[in-house]
């Protein structure tokens, strides 16, 4: 009997020892993730606490507090890594954009970012400039606004990113090699975690095509799956995908909704990608849609995996814990929690070095930013589209572009068109900013924030028929499978617009579109008029767009066929000139034009 009891006791001891060893073998890795920072070095304002109420709100963001929250999270676990799902730069405020986003790269170096999956906006200034962001060096042409290290306390010349850009699905067509490494592996003792970086497949259609010439953007899921055997061969079992593509949730973005997944992202591009991923992928960190969500989506094996996104412009961070079996490298469990970058958090200390960096760059940019260029009589935002898709601010920008290119020798344009995606928040607010310029005053900094891409104007010839095609290409449903063959849609575009992209039009241009019209047939050509005359489909017209649209951006492909091109001023300069042109308004005030939002009656909507 005693012998038997000893055997039982020994067995229990072995079992307990085995359980303890198994627990000891588990390693927890903290992944601190974000997306769509867009160079928001200063606080973007506040976020609601409760989606059901506009108040109270929490002041959020700012690169100093952003880095402070990262440091607080990293202090909780020595096994930590900081990652981004793209659009770190591009479409940035003046304090970053004026210096070609060098300030954002330097701030992220100080914040401890390690891996950034390249987004579409990283290509805004072209692939060569993006490579400079990684490797360093001064801007090749704008020597006045680059390499400011001696003035702001950073390395001189500009040292580039200390973190790695990743882009597994972006290849140089000439070589077949990826423009940046496809993945990175970080070791935590014996435990290895791979991060695969994926760029938005549709990038060529939403950035200036010339900036991505010679590059091929491949399918996201297929690219990830092809890398799995390579990672397994390197002994990696824990795999995280950083992808610049996302979904949306039908709720207000607020503190009480940032961890939700209302609707399961249904009808958005991300779930089909996740559903095609190899079962070896453990989680997906996403971006692009500027949403905060914390989801569980099915992969190709039907297994639910975590899929997160952290809003945008530094307002939210994703705090993710991967529990990994250190013996075999497999992920045991994952917990994820989106948190606000709360500027009043009692346990968070803002990063003083980054605060100083931003302050120095702001001092260099302030004289330019605070210069008053015009006046308005009421606010003009970018979210005030009417049922037809017309935005008062969009009309103003199109009018400014027409005014800059209508005179003889400058283009002789008769109409101008502005893409809605190029009109950035918040638009023109009426109250004075903290700079004290006065109510109703529009500063250069505000104008730059509305149009931050540095696009130049292009005037070109289109036939009346091509103008009609241009309008049809704005709408969902018109693509290679539905358009007439003569429209020369790219055979690869079988989906068309993801949503209606209504071009904003200049004064004198009128047309009507029907919500019930069939794909590629929503606009009656007889409804189109220029300066009161019905459009002649066979005549040639001079029209103005920005260089992004002129190359066929936003899937307005017909614009790439325009000929007799003439380059013009930058869009923000055209806007400043328009504000200072008395002919732009009947009631000029001093040297500036006082502009009131006019009636939005250039685009008409039919049943």
């Amino acid at each position: 009997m005693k012998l038997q009891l000893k055997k039982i006791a020994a067995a229990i001891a072995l079992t307990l020892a085995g359980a303890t060893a198994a627990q000891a073998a588990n390693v927890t890795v903290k992944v601190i993730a974000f997306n769509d920072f867009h160079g928001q070095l200063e606080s973007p304002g506040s976020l609601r606490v409760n989606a059901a109420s506009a108040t109270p709100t929490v002041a959020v963001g700012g690169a100093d507090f952003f880095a402070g929250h990262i440091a607080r999270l990293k202090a909780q676990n020595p096994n930590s890594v900081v990652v981004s799902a793209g659009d770190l730069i591009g479409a940035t405020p003046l304090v970053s954009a004026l210096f070609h986003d060098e300030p954002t790269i330097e701030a992220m170096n100080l914040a401890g970012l390690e891996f950034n999956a390249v987004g579409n906006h990283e290509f805004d200034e072209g692939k060569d400039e993006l490579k400079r962001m990684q490797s360093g060096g001064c801007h090749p042409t704008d020597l006045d606004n680059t390499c400011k290290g001696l003035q702001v306390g950073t390395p001189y010349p500009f040292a580039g990113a200390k973190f790695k850009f990743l882009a597994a699905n972006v290849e140089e067509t000439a070589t077949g090699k990826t423009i940046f490494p496809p993945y990175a592996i970080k070791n935590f003792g014996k435990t290895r975690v791979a991060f695969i970086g994926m760029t938005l497949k549709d990038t060529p259609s939403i950035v200036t095509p010339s900036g991505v010439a010679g590059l091929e953007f491949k399918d996201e899921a297929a690219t990830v799956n092809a890398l799995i055997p390579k990672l397994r061969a390197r002994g990696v079992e824990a795999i995280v995908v950083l992808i610049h593509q996302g979904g949306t949730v039908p709720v207000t973005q607020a503190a009480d909704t940032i961890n939700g997944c209302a609707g399961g992202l249904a009808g958005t591009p991300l779930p089909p990608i996740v559903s095609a991923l190899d079962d070896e992928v453990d989680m997906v960190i996403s971006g692009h849609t500027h949403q905060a969500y914390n989801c569980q989506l099915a992969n190709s094996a039907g297994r639910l995996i975590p899929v997160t996104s952290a809003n945008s412009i530094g307002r939210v961070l994703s705090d993710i814990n991967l529990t990994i079996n250190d013996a075999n490298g497999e992920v045991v469990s994952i917990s994820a929690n989106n948190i606000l970058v709360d500027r009043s958090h009692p346990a968070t200390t803002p990063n003083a070095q980054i605060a100083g960096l931003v302050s120095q760059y702001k001092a260099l940019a302030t004289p330019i930013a605070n210069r008053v260029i015009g006046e308005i009589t009421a606010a003009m935002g970018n979210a005030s589209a009417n049922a037809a898709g017309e935005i008062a601010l969009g009309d103003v920008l199109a009018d400014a572009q027409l005014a800059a290119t209508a005179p003889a020798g400058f283009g002789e344009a008769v109409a101008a068109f502005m893409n809605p995606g190029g009109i950035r928040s918040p638009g023109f607010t009426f109250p004075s900013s903290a700079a004290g310029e006065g109510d109703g005053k529009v500063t250069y900094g505000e104008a730059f924030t509305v149009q931050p891409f540095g696009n130049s104007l292009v005037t070109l010839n289109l036939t009346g028929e091509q103008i009609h095609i241009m309008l049809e290409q704005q709408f969902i449903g018109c693509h290679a499978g539905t358009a007439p063959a003569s429209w020369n849609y790219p055979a690869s575009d079988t989906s068309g617009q993801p949503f209606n992209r209504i071009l904003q039009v200049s004064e004198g241009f009128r047309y009507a579109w029907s919500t019930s019209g069939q794909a590629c047939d929503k606009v009656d050509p007889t409804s189109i008029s220029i300066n009161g005359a019905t459009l002649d489909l066979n005549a040639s017209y001079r029209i103005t767009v920005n260089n992004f649209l002129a190359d066929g951006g936003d899937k307005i492909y017909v614009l790439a066929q325009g000929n007799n091109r003439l380059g013009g001023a930058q869009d923000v300069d055209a806007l400043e000139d328009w504000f200072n042109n008395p002919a732009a308004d009947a009631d000029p005030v001093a040297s500036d034009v006082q502009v009131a939002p006019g009636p939005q009656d250039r685009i008409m909507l039919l049943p």
Side-chain angles (χ1 to χ4, degrees):
M1 177 65 74
K2 290 183 179 179
L3 182 59
Q4 186 176 2
L5 289 173
K6 286 182 178 180
K7 288 181 177 179
I8 293 172
I12 292 173
L14 286 172
T15 301
L16 292 175
T20 302
Q23 291 173 354
N26 286 346
V27 174
T28 299
V29 173
K30 184 177 288 294
V31 180
I32 304 163
F34 63 96
N35 52 275
D36 299 276
F37 187 76
H38 287 291
Q40 191 68 50
L41 298 175
E42 299 181 275
S43 170
S46 60
L47 199 68
R48 294 183 186 184
V49 173
N50 190 306
S53 173
T55 56
T57 59
V58 179
V60 293
D64 53 348
F65 275 90
F66 189 79
H69 278 273
I70 289 174
R72 177 177 60 82
L73 293 174
K74 289 179 70 174
Q76 297 172 6
N77 186 345
N79 297 318
S80 298
V81 59
V82 185
V83 302
S84 162
D87 278 8
L88 186 67
I89 57 175
T92 53
L94 187 68
V95 69
S96 181
L98 180 64
F99 307 103
H100 301 281
D101 285 327
E102 293 171 18
T104 296
I105 300 297
E106 291 167 338
M108 287 299 156
N109 286 342
L110 294 171
L113 178 60
E114 294 177 62
F115 308 123
N116 174 54
V118 173
N120 55 284
H121 277 290
E122 267 93 350
F123 289 95
D124 281 347
E125 291 195 49
K127 65 180 180 182
D128 292 337
E129 176 65 359
L130 179 54
K131 289 180 178 180
R132 186 179 75 88
M133 292 292 98
Q134 177 73 90
S135 60
C138 299
H139 192 277
T141 58
D142 186 10
L143 299 181
D144 291 335
N145 294 305
T146 185
C147 287
K148 297 295 183 180
L150 298 180
Q151 289 136 292
V152 301
T154 56
Y156 177 88
F158 172 60
K162 294 180 180 177
F163 50 92
K164 290 183 179 180
F165 286 172
L166 305 176
N169 62 328
V170 185
E171 294 183 356
E172 300 266 9
T173 54
T175 65
K177 296 181 179 180
T178 57
I179 187 173
F180 293 113
Y183 59 83
I185 298 171
K186 184 165 184 179
N187 298 327
F188 302 92
K190 294 187 299 180
T191 299
R192 314 185 81 198
V193 181
F195 297 90
I196 301 175
M198 306 300 302
T199 303
L200 182 73
K201 179 184 175 183
D202 290 336
T203 292
S205 70
I206 56 175
V207 303
T208 303
S210 58
V212 293
L215 299 179
E216 183 179 3
F217 292 74
K218 295 194 167 184
D219 181 80
E220 299 98 336
T223 301
V224 170
N225 293 344
L227 289 171
I228 299 300
K230 297 180 181 179
L231 293 172
R232 293 291 301 275
R234 296 188 64 178
V236 178
E237 300 292 342
I239 299 172
V240 177
V241 171
L242 309 174
I243 184 170
H244 195 70
Q245 176 59 284
T248 57
V249 286
V251 295
T252 300
Q253 297 279 283
D256 64 345
T257 64
I258 59 175
N259 279 293
C261 189
L265 311 185
T268 67
L270 191 55
I273 294 174
V274 176
S275 69
L277 291 177
D278 190 290
D279 195 34
E280 291 296 322
V281 173
D282 294 294
M283 82 166 297
V284 174
I285 295 169
S286 65
H288 186 55
T289 53
H290 293 199
Q291 297 268 298
Y293 47 78
N294 191 350
C295 299
Q296 295 280 329
L297 300 182
N299 66 7
S300 61
R303 181 170 66 94
L304 297 179
I305 63 173
V307 177
T308 64
S309 180
N311 197 270
S312 65
I313 56 178
R315 292 177 288 204
V316 174
L317 284 166
S318 295
D319 178 12
I320 302 161
N321 292 302
L322 306 180
T323 301
I324 302 170
N325 186 311
D326 199 29
N328 60 24
E330 294 284 358
V331 173
V332 176
S333 65
I334 301 175
S335 66
N337 184 41
N338 285 333
I339 62 171
L340 292 183
V341 180
D342 184 351
R343 292 179 65 84
S344 63
H345 193 283
T348 298
T349 302
N351 185 303
Q353 191 174 1
I354 291 178
L357 174 76
V358 175
S359 178
Q360 295 279 11
Y361 271 114
K362 188 174 181 181
L364 294 176
T366 292
I368 297 171
N370 290 348
R371 180 167 52 83
V372 174
I373 65 170
E375 293 185 40
I376 55 176
T377 61
M380 284 186 279
N382 75 333
S384 55
N386 62 16
E390 188 176 0
I391 306 169
L393 178 55
D395 288 349
V396 165
L397 300 180
D399 286 348
Q401 294 178 14
L402 177 61
T405 57
F410 289 86
E412 296 85 43
V414 296
F417 304 89
M418 177 67 193
N419 55 308
I423 310 170
R424 311 303 281 193
S425 296
F428 297 144
T429 56
F430 186 78
S432 175
S433 72
E437 76 277 5
D439 291 351
K441 303 285 188 180
V442 177
T443 65
Y444 181 84
E446 291 169 328
F448 189 93
T449 299
V450 168
Q451 297 183 113
F453 298 104
N455 286 328
S456 58
L457 304 184
V458 178
T459 304
L460 49 82
N461 279 22
L462 288 185
T463 66
E465 173 60 19
Q466 288 174 318
I467 290 175
H468 173 227
I469 294 171
M470 175 188 73
L471 298 178
E472 295 288 1
Q473 288 181 337
Q474 303 173 111
F475 301 110
I476 291 175
C478 194
H479 52 76
T482 57
S486 60
W487 288 17
N488 296 317
Y489 255 98
S492 59
D493 187 358
T494 57
S495 59
Q497 297 290 5
F499 48 82
N500 290 340
R501 282 193 170 112
I502 308 300
L503 296 173
Q504 305 302 294
V505 303
S506 59
E507 179 61 45
F509 191 91
R510 301 284 189 278
Y511 76 97
W513 67 276
S514 172
T515 56
S516 61
Q518 298 298 308
C520 305
D521 192 22
K522 292 184 178 294
V523 178
D524 181 351
T526 63
S527 74
I528 307 171
S529 65
I530 300 179
N531 296 324
T534 300
L535 187 76
D536 182 344
L537 297 179
N538 296 312
S540 180
Y541 297 89
R542 297 285 285 166
I543 64 107
T544 294
V545 293
N546 59 45
N547 60 290
F548 164 67
L549 283 174
D551 284 345
D554 271 351
K555 298 190 176 185
I556 312 295
Y557 301 112
V558 71
L559 286 168
Q561 301 172 21
N563 54 26
N564 294 326
R565 295 176 175 234
L566 179 66
Q570 282 203 332
D571 49 13
V572 69
D573 294 333
L575 180 62
E576 179 176 1
D577 290 344
W578 182 81
F579 267 119
N580 285 278
N581 175 14
D585 192 271
D587 184 26
V589 176
S591 62
D592 295 322
V593 177
Q594 194 173 43
V595 177
Q600 293 162 254
D601 59 359
R602 303 175 187 182
I603 307 173
M604 292 155 282
L605 187 64
L606 302 174

